[in-house]
Amino acid sequence: MSRTVPDEIRKPPTGGQDDEARLRELGYQPVLARRMGGFGNFAISFSVISILSGCMTLYGFGLGTGGPAVMMWGWAGVGLFVLCVGLALAEVTSAYPTSGALYYMADRLGGRRWGWYTGWLNLLGLLGAIAGIDYGAALFTGAFLNLQWGIVPTAGSTFLIFLAILLLHAVLNLFGVRLVSVLNSISVWWHLTGVAVIVGALAFIPDRHQSAEFVFTEFVNDTGWANPFYVAAVGLLLAQYTFSGYDASAHLSEETSNASVSAAKGIVRAIWVSWLAGFALLAGLTFAIQDYAGTQNSATGVPPAQILLDALGSGGATALLLVVIVAQLFCGNAEVAAASRMVFAFSRDNALPGSALWRKVSSRTQTPVPAVWLAVGVAALLAVPSLYSATAYGAVTAINVIGITPAYAIPIYLRLRAGKRFTPGPWNLGRWSRPIGWTAVIWVGIVTVLFCLPQKSPVTIDSMNYAVIALAVVLVLSSVWWYVARRSYGTPSAYGSAREEAEIAEGIV
């Protein structure tokens, strides 16, 4: 990767200019509708993090990969480090509030190759997130059908439900960012209320609860690996997977008012609110476990559904499962919005095959319609291995983590390397910028290695971690495509050239 830095790192606009002037100074002609406020921007990242999606869908993974102790203490520790990543990323977002987000920041701070690889990693992570979120929603929908009508979920039926959910999210995103913003705002209150109701019901209704010693110290290892430290490290996937997707605030910055402040605040607020609420949710579930082995081997296919069933009975479990499923649908919808904006922005800078198509914007809704369809289409392909492998879902979630997490660290590292040549935006960390930034970079390096490792032993075709293969394929393809597209790829010069603006205008259909 090239280490050359531009002779002059472009300074971000001052806080007094309006959003459209800021975007033009960063080199882009505004074409997306700026109809999202500060709360809506926070809401999209909070919805993508979605503790009712990440915590619930990987809870079964956590039960056998370290058990309650790793889930609880891992959540607390990972949340702290992720907050450092979010704070450092928010500072760079404030300086460069564009839909391209991470790759645009890397391009401006480090050069074209840094931007290129950051963009491909970010795109892999976002598409993996759609697959992970919506497949998780399909699993929970299958559990709901099992509780309600006794339908036994299979790999085939789950995949069909997954495709239906993808289609729903594509259609919802075609109506424009105003609907997306409204749904995300509803999502915030749905998540917080849902967590309160679930934790409250599990605290007061069951006759028996696990002890605090069990919840915070019980270690369970069903991985086949003998080393407890290795198992605990792999078990951090539950928390790290859930704490991803907060770059959505940055990707929607071109559709947010006062973006250089609102997008930065949206990232940080989404993380700490999720951190607190997620700890309460995990504690509520774990205290309410009635039968550990029965929970792991639930006929529903979803361990949290079994906890609800054992603790609350069929009626209560069915009702709360619906709460979780709706939250997961909100989450997937927000992730499709973020991923489609990334596809649009990357295509706007001619980085994808067929960029001229993917950057087209509807004149009626000001939405990048082809980008939406590409995002859900690739997500569908990523989940195909779930038809053949029982461990594929864990691999899909790991694809999300090892794709998107390094993409968070690259602009942070480049901002640190730039030193005083980086001019912060109106939202910044001041003297805390360097210690927080280096903490974030080191943490990302650790978790990227962790989630390329095998999760089960012995390692077989069924149990191997396909995430590392997906990462290798994307890096190889992006390297090959670099030599094809490197002459046409590039972020624009300040205010954009007449040719660039004409090309963007032609894409509004």
Side-chain angles (χ1 to χ4, degrees):
M1 190 176 289
S2 172
R3 295 184 62 85
T4 54
V5 179
D7 294 333
E8 178 183 354
I9 295 175
R10 181 173 300 142
K11 294 182 179 181
T14 58
Q17 295 174 295
D18 64 31
D19 292 304
E20 309 303 356
R22 293 184 185 200
L23 189 57
R24 288 190 178 93
E25 185 168 332
L26 292 172
Y28 293 112
Q29 178 73 7
V31 295
L32 300 175
R34 200 175 289 273
R35 296 169 179 165
M36 185 176 285
F39 184 82
N41 187 276
F42 147 73
I44 192 167
S45 282
F46 181 78
S47 296
V48 172
I49 291 175
S50 184
I51 52 178
L52 286 174
S53 179
C55 289
M56 300 291 269
T57 53
L58 278 187
Y59 191 84
F61 174 87
L63 287 175
T65 315
V70 172
M71 285 195 286
M72 298 308 302
W73 293 111
W75 182 270
V78 169
L80 179 61
F81 285 114
V82 169
L83 184 59
C84 290
V85 178
L87 286 165
L89 184 63
E91 181 177 56
V92 189
T93 297
S94 180
Y96 304 107
T98 72
S99 294
L102 309 181
Y103 88 85
Y104 180 90
M105 302 170 197
D107 185 286
R108 280 289 163 261
L109 293 168
R112 294 171 71 235
R113 281 214 184 195
W114 281 103
W116 177 268
Y117 284 101
T118 302
W120 279 99
L121 287 170
N122 191 194
L123 188 59
L124 170 66
L126 288 167
L127 296 173
I130 296 174
I133 293 163
D134 281 2
Y135 194 83
L139 287 171
F140 272 71
T141 302
F144 172 80
L145 295 175
N146 178 264
L147 286 178
Q148 188 68 24
W149 293 290
I151 299 172
V152 178
T154 64
S157 64
T158 301
F159 194 78
L160 289 176
I161 296 170
F162 166 67
L163 293 179
I165 293 172
L166 281 178
L167 180 61
L168 170 66
H169 287 154
V171 172
L172 288 174
N173 270 271
L174 298 182
F175 284 99
V177 75
R178 188 183 295 278
L179 177 61
V180 171
S181 183
V182 169
L183 291 174
N184 289 333
S185 297
I186 296 171
S187 171
V188 171
W189 302 113
W190 186 276
H191 274 81
L192 294 177
T193 303
V195 169
V197 170
I198 290 170
V199 172
L202 292 176
F204 293 108
I205 295 177
D207 295 328
R208 187 180 73 87
H209 290 88
Q210 298 290 344
S211 66
E213 181 183 7
F214 172 86
V215 171
F216 292 103
T217 66
E218 183 73 14
F219 183 85
V220 179
N221 178 12
D222 294 332
T223 65
W225 298 107
N227 190 316
F229 296 102
Y230 181 91
V231 175
V234 173
L236 297 179
L237 176 62
L238 182 153
Q240 188 65 46
Y241 166 67
T242 305
F243 281 120
S244 63
Y246 44 86
D247 57 316
S249 288
H251 288 295
L252 273 290
S253 58
E254 289 185 32
E255 295 159 89
T256 302
S257 300
N258 193 22
S260 59
V261 174
S262 295
K265 286 184 175 180
I267 291 171
V268 177
R269 191 185 307 169
I271 293 171
W272 72 257
V273 173
S274 298
W275 189 18
L276 297 178
F279 189 85
L281 177 63
L282 287 174
L285 286 169
T286 309
F287 271 110
I289 293 175
Q290 305 296 306
D291 176 1
Y292 203 94
T295 298
Q296 287 182 290
N297 301 305
S298 173
T300 67
V302 177
Q306 191 64 45
I307 293 174
L308 297 176
L309 184 63
D310 292 342
L312 308 176
S314 179
T318 302
L320 293 185
L321 209 55
L322 271 178
V323 172
V324 174
I325 292 168
V326 172
Q328 292 171 340
L329 294 177
F330 279 130
C331 174
N333 190 63
E335 186 64 31
V336 170
S340 63
R341 271 48 174 192
M342 174 59 196
V343 171
F344 159 77
F346 217 26
S347 299
R348 181 172 59 182
D349 291 328
N350 294 308
L352 295 180
S355 287
L357 170 62
W358 311 124
R359 66 172 174 246
K360 289 184 180 294
V361 177
S362 167
S363 60
R364 183 174 59 85
T365 62
Q366 292 180 276
T367 298
V369 174
V372 170
W373 288 114
L374 180 65
V376 298
V378 175
L381 292 176
L382 285 176
V384 166
S386 66
L387 290 169
Y388 311 102
S389 169
T391 60
Y393 181 67
V396 170
T397 56
I399 287 172
N400 170 225
V401 171
I402 69 171
I404 211 165
T405 308
Y408 291 158
I410 292 172
I412 297 170
Y413 164 72
L414 293 173
R415 176 262 176 276
L416 293 168
R417 193 181 72 167
K420 294 182 179 179
R421 290 180 298 107
F422 170 77
T423 303
W427 193 99
N428 61 81
L429 299 173
R431 63 191 177 91
W432 292 100
S433 179
R434 296 191 70 80
I436 289 176
W438 281 116
T439 301
V441 170
I442 292 169
W443 173 249
V444 168
I446 292 171
V447 297
T448 301
V449 172
L450 284 182
F451 301 133
C452 287
L453 300 175
Q455 298 166 352
K456 295 281 188 180
S457 177
V459 180
T460 65
I461 294 296
D462 287 334
S463 66
M464 73 177 293
N465 187 348
Y466 291 95
V468 68
I469 297 176
L471 178 63
V473 168
V474 166
L475 290 176
V476 169
L477 290 178
S478 60
S479 296
V480 171
W481 187 247
W482 166 259
Y483 290 100
V484 176
R486 69 185 186 278
R487 297 186 188 279
S488 59
Y489 163 73
T491 56
S493 56
Y495 292 95
S497 67
R499 179 185 64 80
E500 289 162 347
E501 295 193 7
E503 287 179 352
I504 292 170
E506 288 175 2
I508 301 176
V509 294

